[in-house]
Amino acid sequence: MPLDNQTLPEAPQPAERPTLSGHSARLAKLTVQLKDLIARETELLKERKPQEAKRLHGEKSRLMAEYKDTIGKLKVNEYQLGDKASPDRKYLRQLTDALRETIRDHARVVLRLKSVTEGLIRSVGEEVSKKNSPVVGYGRNASMRATGPVKPTSLSLNQVI
């Protein structure tokens, strides 16, 4: 039963799933694993748990490397998938389309969080700059004077999510 009244994408029915073997079976498995991992990372980011999402990077990098390697092997041995309209190709295309949609959703969340973070850093920097600006006033002889030198303030965020 779906949570939060969200409809989950339908998985291909067992009758629709071709019997994959070799590199194509490996590619199907990796595609599903990557899709699930990226969806989990996206949910963690939506829940404002970046440290937990960060823990998934090692596994995601490993899966992406295996995925790339398997794609390369399948390109060399493309005949294993049959003709252009074969059930194997259609099934892999469905899995790949689902992965692409998950990646697009992930990118939207990451870009939204990035713009929020940059806005916060910019506003904090502007506020610090205002508070540290020199006070200009008149001195004893009615001449303009500035207070002593202002200590420089820097603000940086050096964390990758």
Side-chain angles (χ1 to χ4, degrees):
M1 178 173 240
L3 302 175
D4 299 323
N5 296 327
Q6 294 177 347
T7 57
L8 298 174
E10 290 184 27
Q13 298 301 318
E16 298 174 23
R17 290 184 185 161
T19 308
L20 299 173
S21 63
H23 298 305
S24 57
R26 181 78 181 135
L27 181 64
K29 181 181 176 186
L30 288 169
T31 304
V32 170
Q33 288 175 334
L34 260 173
K35 180 186 149 312
D36 292 345
L37 185 77
I38 292 170
R40 190 169 32 167
E41 183 180 30
T42 302
E43 286 306 313
L44 288 171
L45 290 174
K46 285 180 181 179
E47 294 169 2
R48 306 292 192 256
K49 298 178 180 176
Q51 293 304 318
E52 291 178 36
K54 191 176 179 181
R55 292 184 194 123
L56 301 175
H57 282 275
E59 179 69 9
K60 186 170 69 171
S61 295
R62 183 189 66 78
L63 286 174
M64 287 189 310
E66 284 185 49
Y67 183 86
K68 182 180 176 183
D69 183 53
T70 305
I71 287 278
K73 289 176 182 174
L74 253 181
K75 283 183 180 180
V76 170
N77 301 314
E78 191 174 344
Y79 64 88
Q80 291 179 346
L81 294 174
D83 63 349
K84 298 286 183 191
S86 72
D88 291 359
R89 286 182 190 261
K90 286 181 182 178
Y91 180 68
L92 288 173
R93 194 170 297 122
Q94 285 177 339
L95 293 176
T96 304
D97 289 344
L99 175 63
R100 284 186 182 136
E101 184 59 37
T102 302
I103 291 171
R104 275 193 287 270
D105 184 40
H106 181 72
R108 281 190 292 269
V109 169
V110 168
L111 287 174
R112 191 176 325 131
L113 290 173
K114 179 181 179 235
S115 66
V116 167
T117 303
E118 287 173 345
L120 286 171
I121 290 173
R122 190 176 316 110
S123 65
V124 168
E126 289 170 358
E127 191 63 30
V128 167
S129 169
K130 286 178 189 176
K131 289 190 183 235
N132 289 337
S133 61
V135 177
V136 178
Y138 291 101
R140 290 184 188 162
N141 299 332
S143 60
M144 293 292 287
R145 67 169 176 84
T147 58
V150 177
K151 296 178 184 174
T153 304
S154 64
L155 176 68
S156 67
L157 177 67
N158 190 13
Q159 184 175 5
V160 176
I161 296 176

